[in-house]
Amino acid sequence: MKISENLLQFSNGEALLVVSGDFEVDFYLASNGEINKIDGFLVERRNQDIPVGFVAAESGNIKTLKKFRHSEFIEEFKKHLAGLLAKQLVKEIFLFAPAEVKNELEKALPTKLRKNLRVYEGNFHKEHPFKLLEKLASLPK
């Protein structure tokens, strides 16, 4: 989709916007006045191997399930990111992520991309791409 004229146009090369929730990510590619969603995924809240109606009786079990789901999310992120970077020549990257996953997502990025990385903490996953671009203009570098 065409980027509004008053927003960053990305005329110096392709930029990847990674917009994460706790267990979901959307990837947007921006360049030459356009921004498009190119990929995304969601790690399901419920594991298909666990029968419907199963309840974790103790808080320790719930923590274990959440930790498993979190590691599954990070692995899925790495797979999707590797596939995208193999197809696109990305010059800079913008990461919008909640505090719970921000650091691990940063570590999953290739070293050469971390040099051109800007991170915005918060859950912006449901935001329209233009709202994200407005944040790029208003937040400090």
Side-chain angles (χ1 to χ4, degrees):
M1 89 179 73
K2 195 100 173 117
I3 297 174
S4 175
E5 289 178 14
N6 59 342
L7 296 172
L8 188 59
Q9 296 294 306
F10 302 98
S11 53
N12 293 333
E14 294 184 340
L16 183 65
L17 281 73
V18 179
V19 187
S20 174
D22 287 335
F23 296 101
E24 57 198 352
V25 174
D26 287 330
F27 297 93
Y28 294 91
L29 189 65
S31 69
N32 296 322
E34 294 210 7
I35 185 167
N36 295 298
K37 182 177 174 182
I38 56 170
D39 195 7
F41 70 90
L42 165 69
V43 172
E44 293 293 328
R45 293 189 184 274
R46 189 174 108 36
N47 185 334
Q48 300 301 326
D49 297 334
I50 299 173
V52 174
F54 173 82
V55 177
E58 296 182 26
S59 62
N61 289 339
I62 292 172
K63 287 179 184 175
T64 302
L65 289 173
K66 187 172 181 178
K67 191 179 280 189
F68 172 76
R69 188 170 162 228
H70 180 75
S71 65
E72 190 178 8
F73 168 73
I74 297 299
E75 288 306 311
E76 195 67 24
F77 175 78
K78 289 176 183 177
K79 280 191 246 178
H80 282 259
L81 182 66
L84 291 173
L85 294 177
K87 297 176 195 172
Q88 307 294 333
L89 183 60
V90 175
K91 219 174 167 186
E92 55 186 338
I93 188 163
F94 300 91
L95 175 63
F96 298 85
E100 299 81 35
V101 296
K102 177 184 67 118
N103 292 338
E104 289 186 72
L105 294 179
E106 275 185 73
K107 289 177 190 171
L109 297 172
T111 307
K112 66 179 183 175
L113 273 181
R114 286 188 218 161
K115 295 174 187 169
N116 297 322
L117 171 67
R118 286 178 45 196
V119 179
Y120 300 97
E121 191 174 302
N123 191 341
F124 302 108
H125 185 259
K126 302 292 184 202
E127 295 283 343
H128 189 276
F130 287 176
K131 292 286 184 187
L132 300 172
L133 295 178
E134 287 174 8
K135 290 191 183 311
L136 293 180
S138 66
L139 293 173
K141 292 185 179 187

